[in-house]
Amino acid sequence: MLYRHFGKPIFFKMDPETAHHLVIGGLNKANLVPGGSAAMRLMYGVPETADLAVDLFGVHFPTPVGLAAGLDKNAEAVGGFSSIGFGFMEVGTVTPVGQPGNDSPRLFRLLPDKALINRMGFNNEGAAAMAERLKGMKKRRIPVAVNIGRNKATPNELAHEDYRQCIRTLYPYGDFFVVNISSPNTPDLRSLQHGSELSNLLSQVKEEMGLQREKTGEAKGLLVKIAPDVSDAELEYMVHTITEAGMDGVIATNTTLVRDGLKSDKAGETGGLSGQPLRDRSTEIIRRIYSQTGGKLPIIGSGGIFTAQDAYDKIRAGASLVEIYTALIYEGPEVNRKVHAGLRQLLRRDGFRQILEAVGADHH
């Protein structure tokens, strides 16, 4: 109620990117104030319960709902996001060298569609800056995944070097890693999802993860984030290649370039669309991946989750964990408690004692 009646009206009168920076800065400062994180947990926190906790990739997730990449690009507000009900979060996308991203304006609200369009372009401070920030955090309440990408100026034939450099720099500080080859806002990036480019890239990043595991003595998961805008044949090839490369999981999906059925006057803006219009397509991608792999490739579902039913649909389709982003903008931090409470009710309704029992239930 606090966000809906006070925060949202103020934020939605601002330019979207200005509001974004204000939220990140506010969460960071609130976490630094004595008692700030405790107050946020009191207002928005979600207690861990045995029925919703998940163990995956060698990591314990206190709840199954995480924050998708793109909101905290530089790991500035990990403490704040850890206190408002998330069970994990992605930071990034981070690139080896800091870059400004695309020209503004580059973030747009589509109010009638409960959606966003962004063409940020991997704006971030770089891997070294993120490493310093994460290194300074003595204790983290939730797992943090590092989402990695290539610099805009790096050609695709050298993209593997960018991903490897991010892993080298950040390996000690991430709980698991996500290879982002599906953003529509970096030129030619999505072509890395197809053909020999995908298998070559994944073999390179897998090799680097192995080297870092030997160096640190600690194994960490490696996932791939894919786009929703693929044909059935392309998806089948991608999933086959991801599986053959020994990846630990997949995030389905990134934003879409499709604009079908939108009502907003901002629908013509270029960039990736997130929010409710993406919900059904991302769930269908999850369903196909689970079916193709027999449920053996763990999936994090992302795209259009606003309610517990949205999250549950993705879980029953095959997702072991889910992520939100746009819903946090539209609904505020209260959304986490609503989704978690609703998930528990849905599990009980269907006779499941634990959330992992519901994963892929639509296939059985």
Side-chain angles (χ1 to χ4, degrees), residues 291-312:
S291 179
Q292 182 180 336
T293 62
K296 293 178 182 176
L297 182 68
I299 303 165
I300 298 178
S302 182
I305 295 172
F306 275 67
T307 67
Q309 187 65 56
D310 296 337
Y312 194 54

Side-chain angles (χ1 to χ4, degrees), residues 218-241:
E218 193 174 1
K220 297 187 177 184
L222 182 64
L223 285 72
V224 181
K225 187 168 189 176
I226 64 172
D229 308 328
V230 291
S231 67
D232 291 349
E234 287 171 335
L235 178 62
E236 186 173 346
Y237 172 82
M238 287 162 55
V239 172
H240 173 77
T241 305

Side-chain angles (χ1 to χ4, degrees), residues 29-42:
K29 288 181 174 61
N31 186 62
L32 296 175
V33 172
S37 60
M40 285 191 289
R41 288 197 302 276
L42 186 63

Side-chain angles (χ1 to χ4, degrees), residues 77-89:
V78 172
F81 284 117
S82 300
S83 300
I84 59 171
F86 287 109
F88 66 101
M89 67 181 291

Side-chain angles (χ1 to χ4, degrees), residues 120-332:
M120 306 298 284
F122 288 174
N123 56 307
N124 73 104
E125 296 173 1
M130 179 181 283
E132 280 300 308
R133 198 165 277 130
L134 291 174
K135 183 180 179 181
M137 297 176 192
K138 294 180 174 61
K139 184 181 178 183
R140 296 202 293 252
R141 292 185 171 275
I142 60 174
V144 174
V146 177
N147 185 299
I148 58 176
R150 72 155 168 84
N151 279 111
K152 184 177 182 179
T154 303
N156 273 359
E157 57 267 25
L158 297 177
H160 62 274
E161 287 297 339
D162 278 14
Y163 289 96
R164 292 187 73 145
Q165 183 58 53
C166 285
I167 292 168
R168 280 193 292 269
T169 304
L170 287 156
Y171 192 87
Y173 312 113
D175 293 299
F176 61 103
F177 289 80
V178 181
V179 178
N180 188 350
I181 50 174
S182 51
S183 169
N185 301 317
T186 294
D188 209 29
L189 183 74
R190 283 189 169 185
S191 67
L192 290 171
Q193 296 182 118
H194 310 297
S196 60
E197 286 188 276
L198 178 59
S199 56
N200 291 340
L201 173 64
L202 296 185
S203 67
Q204 289 276 349
V205 293
K206 183 74 172 177
E207 180 181 73
E208 189 60 50
M209 290 291 286
L211 291 173
Q212 295 305 314
R213 182 181 65 246
E214 291 174 11
K215 183 178 177 181
T216 63
E218 193 174 1
K220 297 187 177 184
L222 182 64
L223 285 72
V224 181
K225 187 168 189 176
I226 64 172
D229 308 328
V230 291
S231 67
D232 291 349
E234 287 171 335
L235 178 62
E236 186 173 346
Y237 172 82
M238 287 162 55
V239 172
H240 173 77
T241 305
I242 288 167
T243 304
E244 287 293 302
M247 298 295 106
D248 297 295
V250 63
I251 298 183
T253 64
N254 212 318
T255 55
T256 182
L257 294 173
V258 174
R259 298 291 190 266
D260 295 346
L262 298 181
K263 302 171 186 174
S264 172
D265 59 1
K266 301 286 198 310
E269 295 289 348
T270 58
L273 175 76
S274 65
Q276 281 192 345
L278 180 57
R279 179 187 59 205
D280 293 345
R281 177 57 179 167
S282 65
T283 303
E284 177 60 22
I285 293 281
I286 291 164
R287 183 170 287 110
R288 289 177 179 274
I289 295 170
Y290 187 93
S291 179
Q292 182 180 336
T293 62
K296 293 178 182 176
L297 182 68
I299 303 165
I300 298 178
S302 182
I305 295 172
F306 275 67
T307 67
Q309 187 65 56
D310 296 337
Y312 194 54
D313 288 345
K314 283 178 167 49
I315 291 163
R316 290 188 61 104
S320 298
L321 300 165
V322 295
E323 292 178 338
I324 64 172
Y325 180 130
T326 306
L328 185 66
I329 308 301
Y330 278 88
E331 306 294 325

